Amino acid sequence: RLTRRETDVLGRVLNGLKNIEISDDLGISEQTVKDHLSDIYMKLGVQNRFALASLLFNSPEFKHT
């Protein structure tokens, strides 16, 4: 289960934002974004953004707006 902040980061990743853009948007450091991404990858069993996007976009439960 992702935290609210992890979900915030995930949504921005799926919208194509880079780490620095996510950090600026959320008012957190770029390192904090990287830490959240590491936690997201671990929780979802993936190793990078491509695998993350592939997992989610191919999931029948996933609804991205």
Side-chain angles (χ1 to χ4, degrees):
R1 184 164 179 100
L2 300 180
T3 66
R4 180 177 177 175
R5 187 55 106 185
E6 290 168 348
T7 302
D8 292 341
V9 170
L10 176 60
R12 285 159 176 82
V13 166
L14 295 176
N15 282 324
L17 274 64
K18 298 176 183 174
N19 290 354
I20 191 68
E21 295 169 320
I22 296 169
S23 70
D24 289 344
D25 196 35
L26 295 177
I28 59 178
S29 74
E30 189 173 1
Q31 183 59 52
T32 300
V33 172
K34 291 176 184 179
D35 293 341
H36 285 309
L37 284 171
S38 292
D39 291 340
I40 292 167
Y41 296 161
M42 183 181 62
K43 288 179 179 181
L44 297 181
V46 297
Q47 294 183 342
N48 55 49
R49 285 177 193 246
F50 179 77
L52 176 64
S54 179
L55 173 75
L56 294 177
F57 287 129
N58 290 311
S59 170
E61 298 89 27
F62 179 70
K63 294 177 183 143
H64 180 62
T65 56

